[in-house]
Amino acid sequence: MTALTGLPRRLVEQGLIEQHTAEDIFKIAKSEKRSFVTIAVQKAPAIASSISAIASEEFGLPVLDLSSFDFDVIPADIVSLSLIEKHRILPLFNRGNRLFVAQSDPSLIHAIDEIKFNTGMTIESVLVEEDKLAIAVDKLINASDTSLEDAFGDLDGALDNVDLEDPNERDNEKENEALPGDDAPIVRFVNKMLLDAVRIGASDIHFEPYEKRYRVRYRADGVLKEVSQPPINLSAKIAARLKVMSQMDISERRIPQDGRIKMKISKNKAIDFRVNTLPTLWGEKIVLRILDPSSAKLGIDALGYEEDQKKLYLDALSNPQGMILVTGPTGSGKTVSLYTGLNILNVEGTNISTAEDPVEINLEGINQVNVNTRVGLDFAAALRSFLRQDPDVVMVGEIRDIETAQIAIKAAQTGHLVLSTLHTNSAAETLTRLANMGVPAFNIATSVTLIIAQRLARRLCPQCKEPAELPANVLKDAGFTADQIENGEFYRPVGCSHCHEGYKGRVGIYEVVKVTDPISRIIMTGGNSIEISDVARQEGFADLRTSALKKVQAGITSLEEANRVTMD
C-alpha cells in the first residue's frame, strides 16, 4: 500500500477519491512522470474545481478562473512552447522580473525550477482548474501555428495555407491536368469538408452521388449526419480532386481504389485519412476514414474499462505468452483497444510486429506490415515470417481463416504473446467461432487467455445533460437491480452548442472474460456459447449488457443509448 501525503491524502480525506484510486493514480503519475492532478481529473472531470480549492488551502496559493481571463495579455516568447507543453503550465503576465504562471498541480516543483532557470525570472504560481488549463494550453500551442488557428477560426481565408498532401509524393502534373485553374472552388470545398470533419471530431466522411442530388455526410460519435449538398454536376470533379489527393488513378472509375491523404494542420499536428472509392450507379462514392494518431495514445484509463476489467487486460498483457482476442462489429473500437495494449508493451526490450489490413496509425518502435493478398502477403504469410524474426509480441489484424488461426495459436503456445480480433458479438461466441473454423478444442483452451468483446456508446454531453425520471418498472425491465435503481444517477440527452444531439464523444462498453479452468472444461467438452456465457457469469465476468447498465447508472450515457448498442 502506497503511503499518501500532501494533496493526494487531502483528496482522500475530503472524500473526492477513494484510497485505492488515489494510490493507483499516484503509481501511474510516478511511473509515467505525469501530474497526479492531471490523471485524477481525467478519471473524474467533475472534481477539477474541488481539487483546485483544496490545493489552494494545502499550498497557500491563489486560485484563478481561466474562463474569465483575457488571453491577449499573455506575454509572448518568455517561456518556450516546448516547456509549456512539457509541464502543462501557462504564463499569465509579468510584472518587472516576476512571471506569474498558471498550474493545476503545485507539487511539481521541478517544473517551476526549470522555467525559472530558462527565463531567469522569479516565478509566482497561480492555481487553476486542470480541465480549463488543458484547454488553454492546447489553444496557446495551436495558436502558435497560424495554419491551424486560421483553419479553425477564419476558415475561408486559410484553406490555401493547409498542406493536404505530402509534397514529396505529390504529382503536380497530374493534379494540374485534372484540376485546371477554374476548379479552385472545388479545392476549397473539399478542403473545408476535411477541416470541418476534423474540427468536430468526426470519424468518417462520406461523399455520395445519387441520380438527382449529391450529399456529404459525417459520422460523429458513431452516427451519420448530412452536412452539405453540393450541386450534382460537381460529382465527377469532387471525386477527381479526392483521388488526386489520395494518389489514385483518376482515369480508373470502374473498380474500387484505396489511397491515403496526409493533412498537416499545424507544425506539430498531422491527420491521416484512409480513402476508398466505390463505383456506384450514379458515380463514385468516396469514404474517408479519419485516422488521428492521438487516439492510439489515449491510455487505458480513457477507454472506459471498469477497474476489474482493466486489471484483467493488464494482467493478460503482462504474460509472456498466450492469446488476447478483441471482438466486436466494425466501428466498435477494436483497433484502439489493440493499439493501447501495444503501446503498453512497446518498450526497448520487446520486439513487436503487426500485420494489418491496412495499417491505420503508425506506431514508433513497432514493426507494422500492410497485408497485400494480391502478391500473396496475407495474414498467415506475414505471421509465418514474424515467427522467423524472434518476436516477443505479435498482433494479427484479424483471424479470418483456419490457417491464420492455427499459426496464431501455435505462436501463443510457443512463448509469444499474440493479439488479434474476430468479428463476433460476444466473448463466448468467439470461442465457438474458433471451434467452428476447425481449431481443436484443446488448442483453444490452452492458448486463448483473454477475450474482450466491446461496443462504443455515445457519452452524454456534460454541459447539457439533465436528470431523467425513469419509472422503477422500466429500469427493472431494462435489467437494473434494486440497489442500482435506488443509488443510480440517470440522465437524458438534451442538446446544446457543445454537442451532437445531447451527446459528445464515446465510451467503451466491454465484456472482458478470462479463460479460467471452468471455462476451459466447457470448451474441452464441446460446450456451446450459451453454456460458456453461463459459466462466465458464474465466474463474475460482466457481460456487455451489464457493463452498459453500469455506464447508465453512473450518468455517463443514457438508457436509450445502452439499448441501442447492446440490444440485439
Side-chain angles (χ1 to χ4, degrees):
M1 180 178 293
T2 305
L4 297 176
T5 59
L7 184 58
R9 178 180 56 80
R10 286 287 301 277
L11 296 180
V12 173
E13 291 174 350
Q14 295 289 332
L16 287 181
I17 53 178
E18 300 291 334
Q19 173 80 20
H20 66 89
T21 303
E23 292 173 356
D24 291 343
I25 294 173
F26 185 83
K27 291 177 183 176
I28 295 171
K30 186 175 181 180
S31 63
E32 298 182 4
K33 297 182 179 178
R34 296 171 60 198
S35 163
F36 178 93
V37 172
T38 299
I39 301 173
V41 172
Q42 285 176 353
K43 285 179 170 288
I47 68 173
S49 59
S50 300
I51 288 181
S52 62
I54 293 174
S56 175
E57 295 177 4
E58 180 74 15
F59 293 91
L61 296 174
V63 178
L64 172 69
D65 183 4
L66 277 180
S67 60
S68 60
F69 184 74
D70 182 8
F71 288 94
D72 291 335
V73 305
I74 289 180
D77 302 325
I78 291 182
V79 182
S80 67
L81 285 175
S82 60
L83 279 180
I84 292 173
E85 189 170 18
K86 175 183 177 182
H87 296 302
R88 309 303 288 177
I89 56 91
L90 186 71
L92 297 172
F93 53 89
N94 62 303
R95 292 176 180 169
N97 196 46
R98 288 196 303 164
L99 176 65
F100 292 78
V101 299
Q103 61 177 156
S104 62
D105 190 346
S107 65
L108 300 179
I109 300 173
H110 65 280
I112 299 300
D113 289 341
E114 188 170 352
I115 294 169
K116 181 178 179 180
F117 176 82
N118 280 271
T119 62
M121 303 178 73
T122 301
I123 307 301
E124 300 282 353
S125 291
V126 177
L127 277 173
V128 295
E129 296 173 28
E130 165 59 27
D131 51 354
K132 294 179 181 178
L133 176 63
I135 294 171
V137 168
D138 289 341
K139 182 178 179 180
L140 179 64
I141 292 170
N142 291 336
S144 68
D145 304 320
T146 55
S147 59
L148 180 62
E149 183 68 14
D150 290 343
F152 287 176
D154 181 14
L155 187 58
D156 291 336
L159 290 174
D160 294 331
N161 296 327
V162 179
D163 183 6
L164 287 163
E165 298 171 85
D166 187 340
N168 295 322
E169 298 178 357
R170 197 173 185 174
D171 188 340
N172 288 319
E173 293 182 4
K174 182 188 290 185
E175 180 174 4
N176 292 335
E177 179 183 349
L179 291 166
D182 59 358
D183 279 339
I186 300 296
V187 174
R188 288 197 295 270
F189 171 76
V190 171
N191 289 359
K192 183 179 188 303
M193 290 295 97
L194 270 59
L195 287 165
D196 280 353
V198 173
R199 178 176 55 82
I200 71 167
S203 60
D204 302 88
I205 313 171
H206 293 240
F207 293 86
E208 302 171 313
Y210 297 96
E211 182 179 10
K212 296 181 179 179
R213 70 188 184 107
Y214 190 94
R215 70 177 179 182
V216 181
R217 293 191 292 173
Y218 293 161
R219 185 180 295 278
D221 296 335
V223 178
L224 279 169
K225 186 175 182 180
E226 185 174 305
V227 295
S228 179
Q229 283 196 26
I232 184 63
N233 63 317
L234 298 181
S235 171
K237 291 183 178 180
I238 292 173
R241 171 60 181 167
L242 288 166
K243 290 165 74 175
V244 166
M245 295 166 65
S246 309
Q247 301 295 313
M248 295 181 187
D249 182 355
I250 63 170
S251 65
E252 180 56 76
R253 302 181 182 90
R254 301 164 300 172
I255 60 174
Q257 296 187 67
D258 293 296
R260 292 177 81 98
I261 297 172
K262 188 177 188 65
M263 182 175 76
K264 189 174 182 181
I265 58 178
S266 76
K267 295 176 183 177
N268 303 314
K269 186 176 178 65
I271 302 289
D272 284 340
F273 297 81
R274 191 181 75 206
V275 188
N276 176 264
T277 69
L278 177 68
T280 67
L281 191 60
W282 304 108
E284 289 181 284
K285 174 179 178 177
I286 301 180
V287 177
L288 288 75
R289 167 64 60 87
I290 301 174
L291 307 173
D292 187 351
S294 63
S295 66
K297 300 178 181 179
L298 290 173
I300 194 168
D301 291 323
L303 300 187
Y305 286 94
E306 302 294 335
E307 286 299 319
D308 57 334
Q309 294 175 333
K310 182 177 74 171
K311 185 177 186 305
L312 287 171
Y313 190 17
L314 293 175
D315 287 348
L317 289 170
S318 67
N319 289 333
Q321 67 181 53
M323 181 182 290
I324 300 172
L325 296 175
V326 182
T327 181
T330 300
S332 60
K334 299 188 298 296
T335 300
V336 173
S337 285
L338 285 174
Y339 279 3
T340 299
L342 291 177
N343 271 319
I344 292 172
L345 297 169
N346 188 15
V347 295
E348 182 182 356
T350 303
N351 178 18
I352 304 175
S353 295
T354 74
E356 305 173 58
D357 185 20
V359 173
E360 293 196 355
I361 296 173
N362 297 328
L363 299 175
E364 184 72 25
I366 294 177
N367 309 291
Q368 297 173 276
V369 174
N370 261 323
V371 299
N372 186 347
T373 55
R374 286 179 294 181
V375 297
L377 181 59
D378 55 13
F379 284 121
L383 191 50
R384 279 194 295 268
S385 180
F386 291 166
L387 296 179
R388 292 192 288 269
Q389 294 207 341
D390 185 32
D392 298 300
V393 179
V394 170
M395 194 270 274
V396 184
E398 183 182 350
I399 295 179
R400 297 175 178 171
D401 51 59
I402 181 61
E403 184 181 14
T404 305
Q406 288 176 333
I407 299 172
I409 283 176
K410 180 180 179 182
Q413 292 174 331
T414 56
H416 307 91
L417 181 62
V418 180
L419 290 77
S420 190
T421 71
L422 272 84
H423 285 283
T424 56
N425 291 326
S426 68
E429 290 177 33
T430 302
L431 295 168
T432 56
R433 173 68 61 84
L434 290 173
N436 292 337
M437 280 184 180
V439 180
F442 174 80
N443 285 340
I444 299 173
T446 56
S447 60
V448 179
T449 55
L450 190 78
I451 307 167
I452 301 173
Q454 66 180 77
R455 303 289 188 274
L456 287 177
R458 292 179 292 172
R459 286 181 182 268
L460 285 166
C461 173
Q463 303 286 339
C464 66
K465 69 178 182 179
E466 65 179 29
E469 297 295 333
L470 300 176
N473 63 311
V474 171
L475 295 172
K476 184 176 180 182
D477 292 342
F480 288 100
T481 64
D483 182 64
Q484 287 177 316
I485 294 173
E486 182 179 351
N487 299 312
E489 297 180 7
F490 304 101
Y491 290 86
R492 69 178 187 89
V494 177
C496 66
S497 60
H498 297 91
C499 64
H500 309 291
E501 300 176 350
Y503 297 95
K504 186 174 180 62
R506 290 192 284 179
V507 64
I509 307 293
Y510 302 95
E511 175 187 18
V512 182
V513 175
K514 179 181 178 181
V515 180
T516 60
D517 289 342
I519 292 176
S520 295
R521 284 193 287 270
I522 296 293
I523 297 171
M524 294 292 292
T525 56
N528 58 38
S529 60
I530 296 175
E531 294 172 321
I532 294 172
S533 294
D534 290 340
V535 174
R537 277 193 293 271
Q538 293 170 15
E539 292 284 283
F541 303 123
D543 59 18
L544 284 167
R545 180 64 179 172
T546 302
S547 297
L549 294 181
K550 286 184 179 180
K551 297 291 191 297
V552 176
Q553 180 196 5
I556 296 172
T557 191
S558 66
L559 180 58
E560 293 83 1
E561 184 67 6
N563 290 338
R564 183 181 73 85
V565 299
T566 62
M567 295 290 279
D568 296 327

